[in-house]
Amino acid sequence: MKLAIVEDDINMRKSLEIALGEYKEFEVISFKSAKDALKKLDDSIDLIITDINMPQMDGLEFLKILNGRYEALIITGNATLNKAIDSIRLGVKDFLTKPFEVETLVEAIKRAKKAKEVIAKSPKKSAISQKQSFVATSAALENILKLVNKAAKTDASMLLLGESGVGKELFANHIHQNSLRQNSPFVAINMAAIPENLLESELFGYEKGAFTDATEGRAGKFEIANGGTLFLDEIGEMPLALQVKLLRVLQEREVVRLGSSKPLKVDIRFIAATNADIQKKIKQGEFREDLFFRLQTIPVHIPPLREREEEIIPLCEWKLEQVDLQYGIGKKKWGKGAKEQLLAYNWPGNIRELLSVVERAAILCEEDTIMPEDLFLSSRESGGAKKIANLEEELLYEALKSCDSDIDKAASLLGMKKESFMQKMEQYNIKL
């Protein structure tokens, strides 16, 4: 199995190489940056192991460009946990929080391989359409739905606020289906998923010849949603220049395609959503306050899954049915302690994370019973005896030993600045 490690920290990168190199079944190559990896990755790679925080291009941007071409594992520190959670949207099934045991990483790699094999052997079935309604309920959800159902009957703009993965698009669709526009289009667009240079043409459309590749005219999302509802997901990531243009659409109710001067009237109900701290973005000059007030005529705060505990098991049961329909793996049941672990976990990635974990567990479990170890939730919490940090310490010792305790030579051997090397020595209390 060929693994590609993408990690800018040379100590972590070398430590991972050494740790995984001890396993005969793994062939390991490594890259010091995502940009370097993009130039050299080929079809021989089975799995990518990537950090989140890296200069020039971070792990999330890297995964977006790869667009599901490879199975990927994320390694992250607590400081980047939110980004790791966001990676679930990009198809990442497992992520490990530093520090972690080498054995945990190896287990995650083997899980990825097994899941790929099981899916490949499964009978090919048409994709299961996702249910566009709520499959479970709780007191917290019922309270929100009372507000949402009242607001749905109006044409007021709504802003859905909440953590990543709480189901904001499901809420937006529910609002549309319970509105007077239910028989007209519901169009969704994610601001964070589309490159900035393409976002304007996606929203406004363009005429033939508007730019080099515009061989024919195309309607944008505003036109397509005319008469219905437009859902602007991750609105906090919209570039400032486009925020001005969106504000004008909200005020004038008209759009102009790229390459045209003719305004087109539109009748749209706007629903926006974000997991960002919009007030903080406004203070930092990253989001227009006038646009914020236009979008949040009715703000809706969606509670996280940890405050909606009653929904967890029903959601799991529904997902198990969906996985069986999609892959034909048979009905699964919960083994001793599995439900308890599902209820005890904090679910920082909310419903999106829960459904991803259940799908993976159903595919990987032995026979028909899902056990706690199949959920693999411990990998998302830092800790363990033989940590990668221990390997980093060993790497420093080995470098010093091979260079007769010459710090300059040892630092050069590892490709580190002397100051950084000495900081690591102090961190691990290494004395000469």
Side-chain angles (χ1 to χ4, degrees):
M1 186 178 187
K2 193 170 182 180
L3 311 174
I5 298 167
V6 185
E7 169 64 72
D8 64 306
D9 185 312
I10 187 168
N11 286 343
M12 175 62 84
R13 189 168 70 248
K14 292 292 182 185
S15 298
L16 289 171
E17 284 183 37
I18 292 168
L20 296 175
E22 294 179 2
Y23 293 81
K24 291 181 180 179
E25 65 263 45
F26 300 148
E27 178 186 349
V28 184
I29 60 171
S30 66
F31 303 98
K32 64 183 179 182
S33 71
K35 287 191 173 182
D36 191 27
L38 286 172
K39 292 175 187 174
K40 299 173 183 176
L41 287 173
D42 57 34
D43 292 338
S44 68
I45 303 298
D46 295 301
L47 178 73
I48 288 173
I49 302 166
T50 181
D51 197 358
I52 290 282
N53 268 0
M54 295 183 287
Q56 298 181 317
M57 180 185 293
D58 71 12
L60 282 186
E61 190 179 350
F62 174 52
L63 291 174
K64 284 178 187 176
I65 293 171
L66 291 178
N67 195 29
R69 182 179 167 192
Y70 305 99
E71 186 87 9
L73 279 176
I74 291 285
I75 50 178
T76 179
N78 284 321
T80 55
L81 183 58
N82 286 338
K83 285 189 175 182
I85 295 302
D86 287 341
S87 72
I88 297 170
R89 178 180 285 182
L90 301 174
V92 173
K93 303 298 183 186
D94 284 327
F95 60 87
L96 282 73
T97 304
K98 301 175 189 174
F100 50 82
E101 298 178 10
V102 174
E103 290 80 5
T104 304
L105 174 59
V106 171
E107 186 181 350
I109 294 168
K110 290 181 177 179
R111 281 167 57 85
K113 181 184 180 184
K114 183 179 176 183
K116 190 175 181 180
E117 291 170 350
V118 171
I119 291 171
K121 291 177 183 176
S122 299
K124 296 291 182 285
K125 298 190 177 185
S126 56
I128 305 299
S129 59
Q130 293 298 306
K131 191 175 178 68
Q132 294 296 335
S133 61
F134 299 93
V135 299
T137 191
S138 64
L141 178 61
E142 289 299 325
N143 286 335
I144 292 297
L145 286 178
K146 285 177 186 176
L147 167 64
V148 163
N149 290 335
K150 284 182 183 178
K153 305 299 181 187
T154 74
D155 256 353
S157 297
M158 298 179 69
L159 181 62
L160 308 180
L161 303 163
E163 297 176 8
S164 179
V166 292
K168 292 187 281 290
E169 184 167 350
L170 184 61
F171 272 88
N173 204 290
H174 177 86
I175 292 164
H176 174 73
Q177 293 301 332
N178 286 274
S179 74
L180 300 176
R181 298 173 180 264
Q182 60 183 275
N183 296 318
S184 298
F186 172 82
V187 179
I189 182 169
N190 187 309
M191 301 295 118
I194 300 173
E196 187 173 335
N197 62 322
L198 300 178
L199 194 50
E200 184 174 3
S201 61
E202 279 290 317
L203 285 167
F204 288 86
Y206 51 84
E207 296 291 356
K208 181 180 179 180
F211 46 85
T212 305
D213 296 325
T215 55
E216 59 183 7
R218 179 183 169 191
K221 300 296 186 186
F222 290 128
E223 285 183 67
I224 296 170
N226 193 22
T229 303
L230 180 61
F231 175 51
L232 302 170
D233 201 2
E234 302 293 354
I235 191 68
E237 306 307 311
M238 178 178 260
L240 270 171
L242 266 183
Q243 291 178 31
V244 178
K245 296 182 178 182
L246 173 58
L247 183 62
R248 189 176 185 280
V249 174
L250 285 160
Q251 292 171 334
E252 306 298 330
R253 298 287 163 174
E254 62 182 29
V255 298
V256 179
R257 286 188 184 185
L258 272 67
S260 172
S261 57
K262 180 184 175 183
L264 302 168
K265 287 291 182 183
V266 289
D267 172 27
I268 303 169
R269 202 270 179 83
F270 287 90
I271 303 174
T274 184
N275 60 10
D277 185 340
I278 287 289
Q279 294 295 348
K280 183 179 178 181
K281 280 184 170 283
I282 290 170
K283 287 178 183 176
Q284 293 175 340
E286 297 172 359
F287 201 86
R288 293 181 63 99
E289 189 172 32
D290 47 3
L291 177 59
F292 169 69
F293 287 125
R294 277 277 182 177
L295 291 171
Q296 72 125 27
T297 305
I298 302 175
V300 178
H301 294 267
I302 303 172
L305 185 59
R306 59 185 170 274
E307 295 176 13
R308 298 154 55 185
E309 192 178 285
E310 309 97 298
E311 298 176 50
I312 292 175
I313 300 304
L315 280 166
C316 292
E317 299 290 0
W318 171 78
K319 187 61 180 178
L320 287 181
E321 292 176 8
Q322 296 297 300
V323 175
D324 181 29
L325 286 172
Q326 186 169 356
Y327 299 116
I329 58 176
K331 296 192 180 299
K332 305 292 180 178
K333 62 185 179 182
W334 304 105
K336 185 178 180 181
K339 284 186 178 180
E340 288 79 2
Q341 195 171 105
L342 287 164
L343 292 170
Y345 183 63
N346 198 41
W347 299 111
N350 294 290
I351 295 170
R352 185 184 296 122
E353 184 183 11
L354 173 71
L355 299 183
S356 174
V357 165
V358 172
E359 177 176 340
R360 192 74 150 187
I363 291 169
L364 293 173
C365 74
E366 297 295 333
E367 298 181 352
D368 64 347
T369 305
I370 297 175
M371 299 302 291
E373 55 267 28
D374 295 316
L375 300 172
F376 204 54
L377 293 175
S378 59
S379 71
R380 302 174 186 224
E381 299 165 348
S382 62
K386 188 182 177 186
K387 303 184 178 89
I388 291 295
N390 301 131
L391 290 169
E392 183 178 56
E393 184 179 356
E394 290 173 17
L395 192 65
L396 296 175
Y397 271 117
E398 286 298 321
L400 286 165
K401 184 179 177 181
S402 64
C403 296
D404 295 322
S405 298
D406 187 315
I407 293 176
D408 290 288
K409 289 181 180 178
S412 178
L413 180 66
L414 294 180
M416 295 176 69
K417 291 180 180 179
K418 182 179 179 181
E419 296 78 11
S420 300
F421 190 94
M422 291 179 71
Q423 285 174 359
K424 291 288 185 182
M425 286 180 64
E426 186 177 345
Q427 178 184 335
Y428 294 116
N429 196 29
I430 297 174
K431 308 289 185 185
L432 294 179

